[in-house]
Amino acid sequence: MRASKALLTFDVVTLMPEMFLAISDYGVTGRAFKENIVNLNLWNPREFSMDLHKTVDDRTYGGGPGMLMTADPLVKSIEAAKKRQDKLGLKNSKVIHMTPRGKLLSHNEIKRLLSCEGLVIITSRYEGIDERVNNWVDEEVSIGDYVLSGGELPAMTMMDCLIRQLPGVLNDDESATQDSFVNGLLDHSHFTRPEIFKKMKVPEVLLSGDHEKIRLWRLKESLKLTWIKRPDLLAKKLLTKEEARLLEEIQIEQEQGSI
Ligand code: SAM
């Protein structure tokens, strides 16, 4: 058990706190919470509602379908969460609203957010939040150009990406550095036992024990997968001489029809 201060503290504003068991109690992220590498506090706006029925939503001005989260319980939750983060003395603490209109989440955005010791994350429901709540928001983040029913899954997606980048979370710290997008490429293919599965063999080079040959094969495989599946990533990447040479080989092989 890690006794010192958590590396990253999340304060999440949500109407559905139970959903966060999915991240706090399971797998790699669950272990990170258990070992106090990260810390999570949940704030339910319903508990800040002054209304007898604990109402947190209302109809939108101007009419139209759907309800909206009202400002007062949300702002009270954000202020309470922020106060707690300030008391802990967390550096670079930010308030983030998960919303389809936010900046698209990417590996670079995750790296940037890792400079924060604390994040207050607002997850909304219904049609979203009263626009005036944005005066309490530092950043808006989207997980993609599609709409989910609530911000909880987007928040957990961002939290999971952040957590696995923290030192001590993965059994082998190197494995996060070899993931897709870290060096601007997709990850290479992987194989495990048995050596032959339904007449399909593992590539010979991976059984050779020759580390340099394996490194080159993996790099070429990464380049090949990126070239075929995500050429947009290659267009943005500054290739090393070795990568440029391997990519040229791949393009020739493709012209010859061997891939
Ligand atoms: N009316 C909103 C719109 O069209 O932009 C969608 C509201 S959605 C049904 C309810 C909530 O889910 C949003 O306020 C937001 O918190 C969350 N949400 C939905 N899609 C999201 C996405 N792609 N990224 C981040 N959060 C999202």
Side-chain angles (χ1 to χ4, degrees), residues 9-20 23 39-49 56 69-85 93-99 118-126 128-130 133 136-139 149-156 158-159:
T9 294
F10 299 106
D11 279 86
V12 179
V13 177
T14 171
L15 288 174
M16 302 190 176
E18 299 80 11
M19 283 183 75
F20 285 83
I23 195 163
N39 186 251
L40 170 66
N41 306 283
L42 298 160
W43 303 87
N44 190 340
R46 232 174 260 294
E47 284 164 21
F48 292 86
S49 172
V56 288
M69 287 184 76
T70 53
D72 190 60
L74 261 179
V75 166
K76 284 192 171 121
S77 315
I78 299 166
E79 283 178 339
K82 190 76 189 153
K83 196 166 159 192
R84 187 180 172 280
Q85 294 222 339
S93 151
K94 280 188 196 308
V95 179
I96 294 181
H97 178 215
M98 306 307 299
T99 161
L119 293 176
V120 174
I121 306 174
I122 308 165
T123 68
S124 43
R125 288 256 148 193
Y126 314 111
I129 61 176
D130 185 304
V133 177
W136 281 260
V137 172
D138 298 315
E139 293 190 19
S149 315
E152 286 78 7
L153 291 173
M156 282 191 268
M158 182 175 77
M159 289 161 71

Side-chain angles (χ1 to χ4, degrees), residues 221-240:
E221 196 64 10
S222 252
L223 283 159
K224 195 190 293 176
L225 286 173
T226 314
W227 170 247
I228 295 168
K229 294 175 189 287
R230 291 290 305 273
D232 58 303
L233 292 177
L234 278 181
K236 284 185 257 171
K237 180 171 164 62
L238 206 62
L239 295 178
T240 63

Side-chain angles (χ1 to χ4, degrees), residues 176-187:
T177 66
Q178 292 172 4
D179 279 340
S180 292
F181 311 114
V182 173
N183 65 355
L185 297 174
L186 297 179
D187 193 7

